[in-house]
Amino acid sequence: MTRIFSGIQPTGRKHLGNYIGAIQQYVAGQDRGEAIYCIVDLHAVTVAYEPAELRRRVLDTTALLLASGVDPARCVLFRQSDVREHSELTWLLTSVTAVGELNRMHQFKSKSAAQRELVGAGILFYPVLQAADVLAYRADEVPVGEDQREHIELMRECARRYNARFVPDGGTTGLVVPEHRIPAVGARIMDLQEPTRKMSTSIGGDEGRIYVLDEPAAILKKCKRAVTDSENEIRVGPDKPGVTNLVDILAAARGTSVEAALATLADARGYGDLKVAVAEAVTDMLGPVRERYEALRADEDAIEAALAAGAAKAREIAAVTLHDVRTAMGVGPLS
Ligand code: TYM
């Protein structure tokens, strides 16, 4: 059975890009294979943060996933730091990761430039921890948005290099080289105010982002104010980033292709109609999530219990990989 792994940061409020690019795929993954999802609190300490807030945000993000349909009865859902194997494998993988590759990562460049005080070494090592997340489970597929393509390429390279160096006979104890699973529509949702830049919690203002927990009125307002162009012609293309983004969102929210979404707009009188259609589709998609969220978030004991049960299952899988890696690398006694 296909093993699927993905991780999500407990930072900031989750937005439409996270939902369409990743969370929707997590939910679908539960029907396609053995799904393992992780709230990556160790990644969150690579930039400035507040400890108490981090702990809260792990619970926020977990409740959001549960409200979206991630179901601990049908997947493994856990907090990264609960499974120590991730940290150990990160260190071991540094032996097959080139510093030059880490230095060239786009996210490293932009995140290190954005730090006001300390540029922690964790920003550089971030992709190695991400590689360890996936490789510890020998996952076949990694559902992510387009912005993670580079990180997936790096983990593939780590796995290949590890196998060539430590499992040269190609036996079953090697690491699995994972494939990314980037959605056909909505892999890169853009900021509504600056549609040439991806929707992101770290840059831009709230007007450009739709949050998963936004009320319908806020969604409508943000859609109506979305930046388009002066043509009033509904078509997609590189010269029309704002309209293209809105049509992409419409298609992703309705679960159709871009062509099908355009066909439903044949009678639209212009961008006003397009924006209202987008707001309706997004509200239909996110409304049920918002309605379920509050009750789930209120029960912190239930969230912690679900995470602990998930961690126990995750550890069982990761421990086997770590045993193989330690053995192959000559680390620790033979057992
Ligand atoms: P994070 O938490 O920043 O984002 C979570 C997921 O949301 C996707 N995403 C988007 N998709 C479409 N349009 C956008 N504007 C948009 N913005 C974000 C991201 O691609 C991601 O899939 N490094 C990862 C977390 C991680 C991880 C892993 C992912 C840690 N370990 C192992 C996969 C496998 C991150 O920062 O995600």
Side-chain angles (χ1 to χ4, degrees):
M1 185 157 48
T2 304
R3 186 174 280 166
I4 300 165
F5 183 100
S6 200
I8 187 163
Q9 291 217 53
T11 42
R13 290 189 277 164
K14 292 295 154 191
H15 54 69
L16 188 63
N18 300 130
Y19 191 83
I20 289 174
I23 298 173
Q24 259 189 344
Q25 297 200 78
Y26 302 168
V27 176
Q30 301 177 124
D31 297 324
R32 283 194 308 109
E34 180 187 1
I36 307 175
Y37 303 125
C38 163
I39 321 290
V40 297
D41 56 345
L42 295 177
H43 277 108
V45 308
T46 59
V47 292
Y49 77 102
E50 282 302 323
E53 194 174 306
L54 173 58
R55 199 163 281 127
R56 275 197 304 277
R57 284 184 168 171
V58 169
L59 302 181
D60 295 346
T61 304
T62 309
L64 191 78
L65 293 182
L66 296 173
S68 303
V70 170
D71 176 3
R74 294 195 297 142
C75 72
V76 176
L77 176 65
F78 70 105
R79 168 171 40 210
Q80 185 185 36
S81 63
D82 287 345
V83 181
R84 312 259 164 132
E85 280 77 1
H86 293 233
S87 309
E88 185 179 353
L89 186 57
T90 301
W91 184 254
L92 294 172
L93 288 175
T94 60
S95 69
V96 287
T97 313
V99 142
E101 286 164 350
L102 297 177
N103 255 315
R104 281 195 294 276
M105 293 273 134
H106 285 103
Q107 205 174 80
F108 169 66
K109 291 188 203 158
S110 58
K111 279 199 178 170
S112 50
Q115 295 308 301
R116 270 179 241 124
E117 293 169 19
L118 179 81
V119 179
I123 304 184
L124 184 66
F125 280 85
Y126 182 112
V128 192
L129 176 57
Q130 183 162 347
D133 291 341
V134 175
L135 302 182
Y137 297 89
R138 294 188 162 114
D140 305 294
E141 265 184 25
V142 189
V144 283
E146 175 66 40
D147 63 341
Q148 296 298 314
R149 190 183 282 273
E150 209 179 35
H151 286 159
I152 309 286
E153 217 19 78
L154 184 104
M155 67 179 73
R156 288 168 57 83
E157 193 52 39
C158 278
R160 283 193 213 105
R161 228 181 257 144
Y162 171 88
N163 289 341
R165 168 77 177 87
F166 297 110
V167 196
D169 59 357
T172 53
T173 55
L175 297 174
V176 170
V177 181
E179 307 278 340
H180 62 69
R181 192 178 171 97
I182 296 175
V185 183
R188 192 173 176 81
I189 300 295
M190 308 307 262
D191 187 278
L192 298 179
Q193 288 299 312
E194 264 183 79
T196 51
R197 181 168 69 55
K198 73 168 179 179
M199 190 177 285
S200 155
T201 16
S202 43
I203 351 168
D206 273 354
E207 328 78 73
R209 298 187 276 269
I210 293 176
Y211 293 108
V212 177
L213 299 177
D214 270 349
E215 300 278 340
I219 294 174
L220 182 62
K221 191 166 158 193
K222 290 175 187 178
C223 287
K224 280 192 168 166
R225 292 194 181 160
V227 168
T228 48
D229 52 59
S230 53
E231 283 182 3
N232 219 22
E233 181 193 359
I234 301 176
R235 104 184 129 72
V236 297
D239 56 326
K240 294 175 76 73
V243 174
T244 303
N245 190 37
L246 289 172
V247 175
D248 271 356
I249 294 173
L250 181 63
R254 291 275 183 236
T256 65
S257 65
V258 168
E259 294 70 33
L262 281 170
T264 65
L265 295 164
D267 299 331
R269 283 178 312 261
Y271 293 164
D273 286 357
L274 167 64
K275 290 173 172 181
V276 169
V278 171
E280 270 173 19
V282 170
T283 302
D284 288 349
M285 175 175 71
L286 297 181
V289 179
R290 185 174 42 83
E291 282 159 22
R292 285 190 291 260
Y293 177 82
E294 286 308 328
L296 287 163
R297 178 64 182 86
D299 194 346
E300 297 197 348
D301 291 345
I303 298 176
E304 286 292 3
L307 289 174
K313 289 189 233 164
R315 217 174 285 126
E316 266 179 37
I317 305 172
V320 174
T321 310
L322 263 291
H323 173 267
D324 290 347
V325 171
R326 290 172 65 108
T327 305
M329 290 183 70
V331 169
L334 259 187
S335 61

